[in-house]
Amino acid sequence: MDQHSLFISQTLIEWYNLNKRELPWRETKNPFKIWISEIILQQTRVAQGYDYYVRFIETFPDIVQLANADEDTILKLWQGLGYYSRARNLHTAAKQVRDNFGGKFPDRYEDILSLKGVGDYTAAAIASFAFDLPYAVVDGNVFRVLSRLFAINTPIDTSAGKRLFTDLANELLDKEQPGEYNQSIMDFGAIQCVPVSPDCTICPLADRCLALSHKQVSLYPVKQGKTKVKERFFNYLDIHFGPNTYLHKRTGNDIWKNLYELPLIETDKDITIEELQNTETFHAILQNVGTISIHPMSFSMKHVLSHRIIYARFYRIEITDDTELKDKYIKTSTSSVGDYAISRLVDRYFEQQGKPTLFS
DNA sequence: AACCCGGGGGC
DNA sequence: GCCCCAGGGTT
């Protein structure tokens, strides 16, 4: 390592020792706990994931107990965090460890990387934090810090960019204390070298930052991708028979896979309740249910995600016969809906039930 | 390489 | 509104 690289890595570690956040998963070398924290924190802020981490560790003290749990239980615990494939993959990986590694978390990089849901970043994080192995992490913080320090114009969301930044990160890596170094550059990015309006006047690396010397800090990191947002239109039926409503499990490779929700009719545009009643799906769901009465007030919501805008309408429908319906759906009392893992969208409906709204 | 997958917070 | 967050999997 040359003198310049050495100065940067030492400065990052010194900064870290003065400014680091104290977090529960930093107090341990237990790979299981570190793994749980890393999966939870993928694309998720510490403040948002903190309570989930505590609950997961309390509920599943070790990886075999997690492996032996039901997926429904894990998804319920994950409810509200988003990116639910993380929870499904977490379960798969726990079973991999139980069945292929004798219940002992693997301690080699390639074995860690073979776990479902563990990619390059997470494998490097676990390998360095738990086992002191010399693998540099490359996450959003590292992309930002390095792209600014070296004024790198290669887009980070390309394979060339990924390769370039990974190589650079590994050159800077302190092989004597890879875990400390990795933590330091990530915390530095999260606290000092923040995405918008960083305070470069107090930055210990200001005099070596090429982006700053060019007054172009805000231009880094460079990205090429622009995630296009598509619209979807969901019409949910809250079918009541006495104190009960009906749920089904989402299957197939789509949003909220394996979560539960009310009977759904998706349309290619926003439609009225009259138009909805003319669809074949509506008739298919509500056949032989006795008398149908639809509440005049519907609940509508615009649910905004990073890659989707879902316009959802909810209709409360009373029926007088559920002998066929209860065989096609999960019959549950409305007070027990909370036993099922549901999306934030459906959750908000149950929170606001009874209050009519426009798309809001 | 492009696309898919959630939800929340900061400005 | 827009951007970002301790990314990974699928096609």
Side-chain angles (χ1 to χ4, degrees), chain A residues 73-216:
Chain A
T73 304
I74 298 170
L75 283 172
K76 182 62 189 175
L77 208 53
W78 201 269
Q79 179 176 319
L81 254 190
Y83 285 153
Y84 297 91
S85 64
R86 290 184 293 173
R88 300 191 301 268
N89 292 338
L90 198 72
H91 194 205
T92 301
K95 290 188 280 191
Q96 284 179 272
V97 172
R98 181 193 63 191
D99 300 339
N100 304 339
F101 296 97
K104 182 178 182 299
F105 205 97
D107 59 2
R108 298 190 319 211
Y109 177 83
E110 296 298 336
D111 289 337
I112 298 169
L113 187 60
S114 77
L115 300 176
K116 193 84 167 178
V118 175
D120 294 337
Y121 161 76
T122 305
I126 298 170
S128 62
F129 299 159
F131 304 113
D132 297 307
L133 295 174
Y135 292 88
V137 294
V138 182
D139 73 332
N141 293 304
V142 175
F143 278 127
R144 187 168 57 253
V145 171
L146 297 184
S147 68
R148 286 174 175 170
L149 271 177
F150 298 97
I152 298 169
N153 290 300
T154 308
I156 62 172
D157 52 351
T158 60
S159 50
K162 183 111 196 282
R163 209 160 36 239
L164 193 159
F165 281 94
T166 299
D167 290 345
L168 181 53
N170 276 300
E171 282 178 30
L172 293 170
L173 178 68
D174 184 337
K175 274 78 174 176
E176 301 299 314
Q177 38 182 345
E180 283 283 297
Y181 168 79
N182 279 336
Q183 298 275 20
S184 73
I185 191 169
M186 287 195 292
D187 246 19
F188 184 79
I191 296 170
Q192 170 60 41
C193 195
V194 293
V196 180
S197 307
D199 185 359
C200 300
T201 64
I202 61 170
C203 178
L205 291 172
D207 61 337
R208 314 222 168 195
C209 181
L210 285 180
L212 180 60
S213 69
H214 298 158
K215 299 187 191 303
Q216 293 182 329

